[in-house]
Amino acid sequence: MSRRSLRNALVLSATLAIAATATACAQEVNTGGDTQAGGEITLKETGFLTTCTHLPYAPFQFTEGDKTVGFDVDLVDMVAQNLGVQQKIFDTPFEGIESGESLNTGQCDVAAAAMTITPERQGVMDFSVGYFDANQALLVKKGSGIDSLEKLRGKKLGVQLGTTGEDYAEANKAQYGYEIVQFEDLALEQTAVKTGQVDAGINDNSVHYEFLKTNPDVEVTTEFKTGDQYGVAVRKGNGALLAKVNEVINAAKADGRYDAIYQKWFNKLPESK
């Protein structure tokens, strides 16, 4: 897909998503120029810090009643409060977020989608300091006996499009001889494991453990120590907003607000931060 057609597709998807999740607003593109720490922060919509994310990804961002809630939502709320504005959530496909297109086309000011900081993504967007540690984990039906990639030989492994879990699965596919099945979002991947559409699903450990709370027929049988670290992203060169995000995250880690939201969503204190 060409760059122009991809952009058009993303704009259309974003328009449909916001109609379902929030009051429609003007789609003004305001990507701005390069800025420096301490410089003027320009937001795409007056009075709002617009956040691109991809729902659902509990407990980081998901719908509860008529609201989007989660750990990432609470974290970015701190940035919005510091700026004296409200956060507005913009649900859009993860492929557009992790490619940098969502930020470059002005769909949002920041992207917070439990997104791992990788060298490839750092080439197309700028990341905050890390705010969450994660590894990959294998979700299977309880009693399947599948507790390694070796036991998936000749079987189907579900992945979420554009994620580091998909990258890990692709990197080990030839060695372990499984078939990869792609899903647009986390919910579809996890449901496919429950229904037997795939034999296992790989994704970040925290979201799979969250899924176990209400789905006793599945289990996590192993983790892969990939050392993922999540970051909040801004358009490349937006140094003023990036500095503000870092300032707020670092302050929250120091004054206990980070611990409070971690306890709220994970029922424990962080082992590292």
PDB file of all heavy atoms in Angstrom, residues 15 39 94 138 265:
ATOM      1  N   THR A  15     -11.608   7.950  11.940  1.00  0.00           N
ATOM      2  CA  THR A  15     -12.888   8.654  11.980  1.00  0.00           C
ATOM      3  C   THR A  15     -13.978   7.736  12.503  1.00  0.00           C
ATOM      4  O   THR A  15     -14.799   8.126  13.337  1.00  0.00           O
ATOM      5  CB  THR A  15     -13.246   9.159  10.576  1.00  0.00           C
ATOM      6  OG1 THR A  15     -12.215  10.026  10.133  1.00  0.00           O
ATOM      7  CG2 THR A  15     -14.563   9.906  10.589  1.00  0.00           C
ATOM      8  N   GLY A  39      10.291  24.440  25.396  1.00  0.00           N
ATOM      9  CA  GLY A  39       9.654  25.278  24.384  1.00  0.00           C
ATOM     10  C   GLY A  39       8.137  25.199  24.455  1.00  0.00           C
ATOM     11  O   GLY A  39       7.567  24.461  25.264  1.00  0.00           O
ATOM     12  N   PHE A  94      -3.265  -0.568  15.626  1.00  0.00           N
ATOM     13  CA  PHE A  94      -1.925  -0.512  16.210  1.00  0.00           C
ATOM     14  C   PHE A  94      -0.843  -0.389  15.140  1.00  0.00           C
ATOM     15  O   PHE A  94       0.204   0.213  15.380  1.00  0.00           O
ATOM     16  CB  PHE A  94      -1.675  -1.767  17.064  1.00  0.00           C
ATOM     17  CG  PHE A  94      -0.377  -1.715  17.818  1.00  0.00           C
ATOM     18  CD1 PHE A  94      -0.202  -0.832  18.869  1.00  0.00           C
ATOM     19  CD2 PHE A  94       0.681  -2.540  17.474  1.00  0.00           C
ATOM     20  CE1 PHE A  94       0.999  -0.764  19.562  1.00  0.00           C
ATOM     21  CE2 PHE A  94       1.881  -2.486  18.161  1.00  0.00           C
ATOM     22  CZ  PHE A  94       2.042  -1.597  19.206  1.00  0.00           C
ATOM     23  N   LEU A 138       3.136 -17.243  26.750  1.00  0.00           N
ATOM     24  CA  LEU A 138       2.393 -18.172  25.902  1.00  0.00           C
ATOM     25  C   LEU A 138       1.072 -18.540  26.573  1.00  0.00           C
ATOM     26  O   LEU A 138       1.053 -19.114  27.664  1.00  0.00           O
ATOM     27  CB  LEU A 138       3.237 -19.433  25.679  1.00  0.00           C
ATOM     28  CG  LEU A 138       2.822 -20.334  24.509  1.00  0.00           C
ATOM     29  CD1 LEU A 138       3.046 -19.616  23.168  1.00  0.00           C
ATOM     30  CD2 LEU A 138       3.619 -21.639  24.540  1.00  0.00           C
ATOM     31  N   TRP A 265      -3.941  -1.148  39.310  1.00  0.00           N
ATOM     32  CA  TRP A 265      -4.209  -2.006  38.148  1.00  0.00           C
ATOM     33  C   TRP A 265      -3.577  -3.397  38.254  1.00  0.00           C
ATOM     34  O   TRP A 265      -4.021  -4.326  37.576  1.00  0.00           O
ATOM     35  CB  TRP A 265      -3.747  -1.314  36.868  1.00  0.00           C
ATOM     36  CG  TRP A 265      -4.588  -0.111  36.568  1.00  0.00           C
ATOM     37  CD1 TRP A 265      -4.227   1.202  36.687  1.00  0.00           C
ATOM     38  CD2 TRP A 265      -5.958  -0.107  36.162  1.00  0.00           C
ATOM     39  NE1 TRP A 265      -5.275   2.017  36.373  1.00  0.00           N
ATOM     40  CE2 TRP A 265      -6.345   1.251  36.046  1.00  0.00           C
ATOM     41  CE3 TRP A 265      -6.886  -1.107  35.877  1.00  0.00           C
ATOM     42  CZ2 TRP A 265      -7.636   1.615  35.664  1.00  0.00           C
ATOM     43  CZ3 TRP A 265      -8.167  -0.744  35.496  1.00  0.00           C
ATOM     44  CH2 TRP A 265      -8.526   0.597  35.391  1.00  0.00           C
TER      45      TRP A 265
END
